Amino acid sequence: MKETVFDEYACLRELEWDTKYFGLACAKAVLYKPLTIDCWNELKRSFRQYQFVCIENRNSEPINAQLIGRDTSAFLADVNIQFSKRIESLGTPSREVTIHNNFKRDDQLLAIAEYRFSRFVEDPELLKRGGDRIYQEWIINSFGRSDKYFAIFRGYEGPIKGFILHSYTDDACIVELIAVSNNDKRKGIGSKLIDAVERFTVQKGIAEMKVGTQLRNTAALNFYHKTGFRQVSSHQIYHLWNS
């Protein structure tokens, strides 16, 4: 993966998977702090190499937002809210939830993985290139991998009713995707899944969980607050299309 670093201010990396999936040259720029004019001008020149650039403005820095709005045609596609939770106490384990890695493909997960709020759908150019299927592809690519874990809620009736896809860094559990079937929402399944992942995380010697969601997804925001997470940051996500 090609990556260009602009001192401590920003980086620009090619997105190999996105390039292949969407069929156009894609890159992602991450802006870590307020940019200097020289750094911004250099970064802008680098944007021209790609048809599509996702720009992540960390902590929604106003100076960077002004530069993007003034000098590019990029639009605000999302505001990503990041949550963190320190695991200090554990609830009662549930026999309804099991955790697996190297999990074989199960299309029941794909059937309940409906994500209403997604910048891949709300951007019409990405939507017509398959943006509505990207989360299903994310799940498919996670099947059979030892570094990906699925917490599965089956209940006592057999069919899968909810899941959490998660992974681990050296210091945290990263919740990647969570879904509960439409017929089983508001039954506490999401909370039971979080509890199970917390217990498993502590058993691995890790005491923190992290998750991100969209600002517009108020149901998810309320859920994470309810289950003990706290908001730690918000990042503006811009989409830039080069003709």
Side-chain angles (χ1 to χ4, degrees), residues 1 8 20 23 25 37 40 56 60 65 77 92 95 107 116 118 136 139 143 153 160 188 197 199 202 211 234 238:
M1 179 186 298
E8 74 273 23
K20 182 178 180 180
I37 293 299
W40 171 239
E56 180 178 316
S60 302
T92 303
R95 291 181 297 169
D107 287 349
R116 176 183 172 190
S118 167
Q136 280 74 19
I139 295 167
F143 288 135
F153 184 100
I160 293 175
V197 174
R199 297 185 70 86
V202 168
V211 65
S234 63
Y238 293 85

Side-chain angles (χ1 to χ4, degrees), residues 149-162:
Y149 294 78
F150 287 90
I152 304 293
F153 184 100
R154 291 185 181 273
Y156 300 111
E157 301 174 4
I160 293 175
K161 298 182 177 182

Side-chain angles (χ1 to χ4, degrees), residues 53-242:
V53 182
C54 173
I55 306 172
E56 180 178 316
N57 181 22
R58 290 279 175 93
N59 299 310
S60 302
E61 287 288 350
I63 290 175
N64 294 340
Q66 293 168 29
L67 291 172
I68 294 167
R70 185 191 70 190
D71 294 347
T72 76
S73 60
F75 66 91
L76 184 64
D78 185 20
V79 178
N80 181 266
I81 307 298
Q82 288 292 312
F83 287 88
S84 175
K85 181 178 183 179
R86 297 295 299 179
I87 307 172
E88 298 176 349
S89 61
L90 297 177
T92 303
S94 172
R95 291 181 297 169
E96 299 167 292
V97 181
T98 55
I99 296 182
H100 315 261
N101 67 338
N102 286 311
F103 190 64
K104 294 182 179 179
R105 176 166 175 160
D106 191 323
D107 287 349
Q108 290 183 78
L109 273 67
L110 302 178
I112 65 176
E114 297 180 1
Y115 298 98
R116 176 183 172 190
F117 300 99
S118 167
R119 63 185 180 87
F120 300 104
V121 172
E122 293 167 354
D123 184 331
E125 290 297 320
L126 293 182
L127 176 59
K128 71 183 183 183
R129 292 175 170 85
D132 56 332
R133 301 188 302 275
I134 201 163
Y135 288 111
Q136 280 74 19
E137 290 295 322
W138 187 341
I139 295 167
I140 290 169
N141 291 336
S142 298
F143 288 135
R145 288 179 52 174
S146 60
D147 61 333
K148 300 289 185 178
Y149 294 78
F150 287 90
I152 304 293
F153 184 100
R154 291 185 181 273
Y156 300 111
E157 301 174 4
I160 293 175
K161 298 182 177 182
F163 72 89
I164 291 179
L165 170 60
H166 55 291
S167 56
Y168 292 89
T169 65
D170 292 336
D171 59 355
C173 168
I174 309 300
V175 175
E176 299 186 18
L177 295 173
I178 180 170
V180 175
S181 65
N182 287 329
N183 293 332
D184 295 292
K185 293 184 184 298
R186 297 185 175 87
K187 295 181 180 179
I189 291 174
S191 296
K192 289 181 180 180
L193 285 164
I194 289 289
D195 287 345
V197 174
E198 286 182 9
R199 297 185 70 86
F200 188 76
T201 296
V202 168
Q203 291 170 5
K204 293 178 74 68
I206 296 172
E208 184 179 14
M209 295 176 65
K210 297 179 180 179
V211 65
T213 193
Q214 293 82 6
L215 178 63
R216 293 181 62 237
N217 193 347
T218 54
L221 297 175
N222 290 333
F223 171 74
Y224 292 126
H225 283 297
K226 177 183 176 181
T227 51
F229 287 82
R230 63 184 181 89
Q231 182 178 330
V232 293
S233 60
S234 63
H235 310 315
Q236 295 169 332
I237 309 295
Y238 293 85
H239 286 184
L240 173 64
W241 290 92
N242 293 315

